[in-house]
Amino acid sequence: MNSPPKRCANEVSLLPYDLIFKILLLLPAKDILKLTLVCKTWRTLISSPNFIESHTTRCEKVLTFLKQFSESRPNTFDINTHNNNNQFTLFDPNPPKKQKLQIYLMEFNFKHQNATITDPNISGFREILATCNGLILATNKTGTLLILNPTTRKLLPLKSGTIVQTRDESYGFVFSPKTQQYKAIHVFRDESGHIDTEILSLTTMQWTGCHVPTFGLFRDFTHKPVSTSGVLYWLPGTNNVNYIISMDIDKEKFSRIDLPVTTGMNDRLIENGDLLNFVAQLTVYRIQIWTLKRVECEEIWVKKCTINMDYDITGLIPVFMTKNGRFLVFKKWREAIYEYDMEEEEMGKVVVDGDRNFNYRMAFTHMNTLVSWSNSTPLW
């Protein structure tokens, strides 16, 4: 750990530096941000890459989604607002009285089988495209690509890549542990029907072409890619698929990996513990989970567990697994959210507090972190 800086001039705390570090790790990101105002020592600690990385590893997953709102509210963070220097400002003090898409978060309390919807008061979205480590790749209402951390409200406009009029495309957002870089990936079908690919490095801020997937490998782009350990994974079709597509962000090459079983309509890929998992419904009463592992330079599927219920569980779509691997969250179309406890082997319906008229059909897995796209980007 880094050597401790000098103590606060007003001696806010006489606790050892390492103990302060560990205590702050226990707090949610939104509360930690407020503590940067305590003193310079805490501000330096909280903004250090070491602390941000340590805090991120403790953050639990939430869901994020967009919803329309029409009421006029003060101090709205509008991602479309910018000044003459093309830098986005924090607040729109006089938001227009018209309908906008605003971001919401759903946080879970698995011990009590409930969830709470929170409102970060950030608007101006057109679409969420992907998420990674607390950062969101999205478009604003004019179609501009951008990276946003909803917790710190830091955002970065991006150069547009190839414009696809048919919108037959897929965006991925991934972090490379090897190079410590974030990259956005754009896979799209051109007018001739061929698949093309381009990558944007947030370090160079330039789109570059890369290896093109084999013709016919992608059937459609219905499923969003899942990222883990610097690799993106796609289910290439909506049903009856016996393989997945992977792309190593460092090698920039696509590969095909056979699945243990052929997919159904509600089968999905999910990430847990930096490993990819495949969740498939085998019968109306049984769901099976496999984990993709590397054994002797070969990637193989290892059966993780089987969920057996004595009632019909058709229609459950896996969304995410908690970091400790105990709970698996499902959605059932627009009806409800369920959680399965791996230890107790019990399925339960999650009670959602707050706004119940949310659209979780297009919800993304997210984390409330202090992460930035660059270590040189300040939190404030």
Side-chain angles (χ1 to χ4, degrees):
M1 188 174 294
N2 298 333
S3 58
K6 296 180 180 180
R7 295 189 181 278
C8 304
N10 58 355
E11 295 295 334
V12 172
S13 174
L14 297 177
L15 294 174
Y17 178 84
D18 286 359
L19 184 56
I20 295 175
F21 189 101
K22 293 177 180 179
I23 292 174
L24 293 180
L25 285 181
L26 302 176
L27 300 177
K30 61 182 179 180
D31 292 337
I32 293 176
L33 275 181
K34 300 175 184 177
L35 296 179
T36 59
L37 302 176
V38 171
C39 63
K40 185 177 180 180
T41 299
W42 284 24
R43 182 169 177 161
T44 301
L45 184 157
I46 292 169
S47 61
S48 68
N50 185 27
F51 179 84
I52 293 174
E53 181 179 357
S54 298
H55 183 265
T56 301
T57 61
R58 300 179 59 90
C59 291
E60 193 50 85
K61 299 172 186 176
V62 301
L63 289 180
T64 183
F65 57 94
L66 299 178
K67 183 188 173 185
Q68 289 186 338
F69 78 104
S70 55
E71 67 274 15
S72 177
R73 298 187 300 171
N75 297 328
T76 296
F77 183 103
D78 191 331
I79 63 174
N80 296 280
T81 306
H82 60 88
N83 58 30
N84 293 331
N85 294 324
N86 201 32
Q87 297 296 317
F88 285 74
T89 57
L90 285 181
F91 298 109
D92 178 5
N94 299 301
K97 295 182 179 180
K98 62 181 181 179
Q99 214 167 47
K100 297 181 180 179
L101 281 176
Q102 180 162 313
I103 195 169
Y104 291 85
L105 303 172
M106 181 183 295
E107 302 178 7
F108 292 81
N109 184 340
F110 292 101
K111 292 182 179 180
H112 299 93
Q113 289 189 347
N114 64 36
T116 302
I117 295 179
T118 58
D119 173 11
N121 199 19
I122 304 176
S123 69
F125 292 88
R126 172 182 290 183
E127 185 179 7
I128 295 176
L129 301 171
T131 63
C132 182
N133 291 345
L135 300 177
I136 293 176
L137 175 65
T139 52
N140 65 11
K141 63 183 182 181
T142 64
T144 300
L145 273 174
L146 56 89
I147 302 293
L148 167 72
N149 183 325
T151 302
T152 63
R153 293 187 169 184
K154 297 296 293 184
L155 52 76
L156 174 70
L158 303 178
K159 294 176 60 176
S160 297
T162 302
I163 305 299
V164 183
Q165 299 297 332
T166 62
R167 292 192 54 80
D168 192 7
E169 59 185 341
S170 174
Y171 279 92
F173 188 37
V174 63
F175 176 74
S176 169
K178 181 179 180 180
T179 64
Q180 297 291 296
Q181 294 182 25
Y182 284 94
K183 293 184 179 181
I185 295 85
H186 183 207
V187 185
F188 57 95
R189 195 183 308 274
D190 63 23
E191 294 179 355
S192 63
H194 292 279
I195 301 295
D196 208 343
T197 309
E198 54 191 355
I199 297 179
L200 174 70
S201 168
L202 268 62
T203 301
T204 64
M205 294 298 289
Q206 296 292 328
W207 287 98
T208 58
C210 69
H211 176 263
V212 178
T214 304
F215 181 79
L217 201 59
F218 279 98
R219 298 184 187 178
D220 58 57
F221 298 119
T222 301
H223 296 299
K224 303 292 185 180
V226 175
S227 66
T228 176
S229 300
V231 181
L232 281 169
Y233 299 92
W234 285 265
L235 277 172
T238 56
N239 192 21
N240 198 30
V241 175
N242 59 8
Y243 65 93
I244 62 173
I245 300 171
S246 69
M247 181 188 187
D248 188 306
I249 196 60
D250 296 318
K251 297 178 181 178
E252 297 186 357
K253 289 186 177 181
F254 291 90
S255 300
R256 168 179 168 151
I257 302 173
D258 290 336
L259 285 169
V261 297
T262 302
T263 64
M265 288 291 294
N266 298 328
D267 299 346
R268 295 292 188 273
L269 300 175
I270 58 174
E271 179 273 340
N272 176 253
D274 291 329
L275 295 173
L276 182 73
N277 295 271
F278 174 56
V279 185
Q281 183 160 357
L282 303 184
T283 71
V284 295
Y285 307 109
R286 179 181 300 172
I287 291 174
Q288 207 151 62
I289 305 171
W290 285 268
T291 301
L292 186 64
K293 295 186 177 181
R294 180 170 289 276
V295 179
E296 296 181 354
C297 299
E298 183 182 0
E299 289 182 312
I300 62 172
W301 291 101
V302 178
K303 190 182 296 183
K304 182 182 179 71
C305 71
T306 301
I307 299 174
N308 291 300
M309 308 303 295
D310 56 4
Y311 54 88
D312 191 339
I313 52 176
T314 303
L316 290 182
I317 303 173
V319 180
F320 73 88
M321 187 181 296
T322 54
K323 281 194 171 182
N324 60 11
R326 177 172 176 176
F327 295 97
L328 179 58
V329 176
F330 295 87
K331 61 182 179 182
K332 191 171 184 181
W333 303 112
R334 295 171 183 262
E335 299 174 25
I337 289 182
Y338 294 84
E339 65 176 53
Y340 181 76
D341 189 328
M342 302 285 192
E343 294 183 6
E344 300 295 332
E345 298 183 348
E346 294 179 349
M347 183 82 71
K349 186 176 181 179
V350 176
V351 177
V352 180
D353 298 326
D355 188 352
R356 292 170 175 77
N357 296 318
F358 56 89
N359 180 4
Y360 52 77
R361 184 178 64 86
M362 291 302 295
F364 287 77
T365 305
H366 178 63
M367 294 190 298
N368 295 319
T369 73
L370 302 170
V371 167
S372 177
W373 48 87
S374 169
N375 288 337
S376 62
T377 303
L379 294 177
W380 47 88

